[in-house]
Amino acid sequence: MAETMEDYKEELEASFRKINEGDMVSGTVIGVSEEEVTLDLKYYAQGIIKKEDLSNDPGFQMMEEIHPGDVITATVVKTDDGEGNIKLSKKEANDILAWEKLKAYMEDGTAISVKVAGIVPSGVVAYVEGIRGFIPASQLALSYVEATEEWLGREVRVRAITVDESKKKLVLSAKVILKEEEQEEHNRKVAAMVPGTVMEGTVESLMPYGAFVDLGDGISGLVHISQISQRRIGKPSEVLSVGQKVKVKVLNTNDNKVSLSMKALEEEMVDTDRPKQVEEYISHENASTNLGDLLANIKL
């Protein structure tokens, strides 16, 4: 078969292409050793990235995280490293590209899995795209974490909440994800509640407009002041106190909020306790009980 110019397209492009120091190039990994990564740049020379030029993350495991076939973008440090290869730095390229990725992660609300790599005052450190990020102790869990050293090495799902390239500031939060998950679980439980159900709960707080009742399993509901009693009251504390056990009826679960009533149960009790009216028996026959009628039936 006759060879055509198309067969040499890549070689021709490589021969005309010029790579300069400072350029950003992409290549396919064709070799990984303990000391360096070798890239095919579709160029007459191969690219070499030394271990120290791969990542800022001190916990980065080159042999585990980079494999033949991976595509890596790096910055040209030298066009000849003395052995005919092009010396590259992924760290330098990363400093340029990573911040753009981090901004996109923050804008999209992307959840990122990170490993806690270090403990610092009032928080921990984790790396995202090779960039050092700070997770405050107040953002590690739903409540403030005192013993941050217990988190070293743990995998955590986080979101980027501050991305400031000019100040090289990256702040991450696990709490925002946990709060969303907690809210979703709460909404699921509320949606499963059937209006009309009678439940027992504990008064957890009193407000001028009503009482909040803890129904257990993380669910609270509001008994509006108009639903506390059949009689008119000025404030909930007239008939309720914090810690008091009460029976309530579920009115509705609109907007994932539980509305309760004590008055509805009172009304039901009144209906149940009300004595049934004795039906008056009316005979259509003439009822005669006078002495004359009685004597008429007696034969002397």
Side-chain angles (χ1 to χ4, degrees):
M1 183 188 284
E3 294 178 333
T4 64
M5 292 294 285
E6 192 66 30
D7 295 318
Y8 295 99
K9 184 179 178 183
E10 287 189 2
E11 287 84 352
L12 283 166
E13 285 180 355
S15 66
F16 287 115
R17 185 176 165 209
K18 181 70 176 168
I19 290 179
N20 300 303
E21 288 182 11
D23 286 354
M24 199 175 292
V25 295
S26 291
T28 304
V29 176
I30 54 174
V32 185
S33 71
E34 294 285 352
E35 299 301 322
E36 62 188 27
V37 173
T38 306
L39 301 183
D40 176 8
L41 301 174
K42 299 284 189 266
Y43 196 60
Y44 66 82
Q46 294 180 338
I48 298 292
I49 308 176
K50 294 293 184 182
K51 183 178 180 180
E52 60 270 19
D53 293 323
L54 274 166
S55 176
N56 287 311
D57 183 352
F60 183 77
Q61 301 292 321
M62 185 168 74
M63 299 296 287
E64 291 178 18
E65 298 185 42
I66 296 180
H67 308 93
D70 291 351
V71 175
I72 291 178
T73 300
T75 303
V76 177
V77 179
K78 285 184 181 178
T79 52
D80 188 342
D81 64 354
E83 296 179 8
N85 299 308
I86 297 173
K87 186 180 181 184
L88 304 169
S89 170
K90 186 174 183 297
K91 285 203 305 193
E92 281 189 23
N94 199 62
D95 286 342
I96 299 166
L97 298 174
W99 288 103
E100 292 303 316
K101 277 191 183 179
L102 291 169
K103 284 175 191 169
Y105 288 158
M106 184 172 69
E107 287 166 7
D108 298 340
T110 304
I112 314 154
S113 283
V114 298
K115 184 181 280 189
V116 175
I119 309 299
V120 293
S122 69
V124 301
V125 169
Y127 287 81
V128 183
E129 300 294 337
I131 302 296
R132 182 180 186 273
F134 174 58
I135 310 175
S138 61
Q139 296 296 319
L140 257 178
L142 286 169
S143 55
Y144 189 90
V145 174
E146 294 285 352
T148 52
E149 62 277 358
E150 294 176 5
W151 288 70
L152 188 62
R154 278 200 208 177
E155 291 278 346
V156 187
R157 286 175 71 242
V158 296
R159 280 215 185 104
I161 55 173
T162 301
V163 177
D164 190 336
E165 185 179 1
S166 62
K167 294 180 181 177
K168 302 297 179 191
K169 184 179 180 182
L170 171 63
V171 182
L172 309 168
S173 171
K175 185 177 182 177
V176 291
I177 293 177
L178 294 171
K179 282 189 80 171
E180 283 178 10
E181 291 174 345
E182 185 182 55
Q183 187 62 49
E184 285 171 9
E185 178 64 11
H186 174 271
N187 294 350
R188 185 188 65 75
K189 289 176 184 175
V190 169
M193 296 178 75
V194 180
T197 304
V198 176
M199 305 181 77
E200 190 172 285
T202 306
V203 177
E204 60 181 359
S205 63
L206 297 173
M207 299 292 172
Y209 52 85
F212 283 97
V213 176
D214 179 4
L215 300 170
D217 203 18
I219 304 294
S220 291
L222 173 67
V223 184
H224 189 267
I225 190 168
S226 64
Q227 292 296 323
I228 290 176
S229 177
Q230 282 188 305
R231 66 183 178 85
R232 190 177 181 85
I233 59 173
K235 53 186 178 180
S237 58
E238 288 179 24
V239 291
L240 294 173
S241 57
V242 173
Q244 182 179 341
K245 296 282 185 187
V246 292
K247 279 194 174 180
V248 291
K249 187 174 188 176
V250 179
L251 293 181
N252 64 65
T253 56
N254 299 338
D255 301 321
N256 293 310
K257 294 175 182 175
V258 183
S259 293
L260 305 169
S261 175
M262 292 169 61
K263 186 171 83 171
L265 290 178
E266 277 186 16
E267 289 169 351
E268 286 177 11
M269 288 293 288
V270 168
D271 288 342
T272 305
D273 295 342
R274 183 177 294 144
K276 291 180 180 177
Q277 290 182 345
V278 178
E279 292 182 8
E280 188 178 348
Y281 177 73
I282 301 173
S283 173
H284 296 289
E285 298 177 6
N286 290 328
S288 302
T289 56
N290 59 55
L291 185 59
D293 290 333
L294 288 171
L295 293 172
N297 293 322
I298 299 173
K299 293 181 180 179
L300 297 174

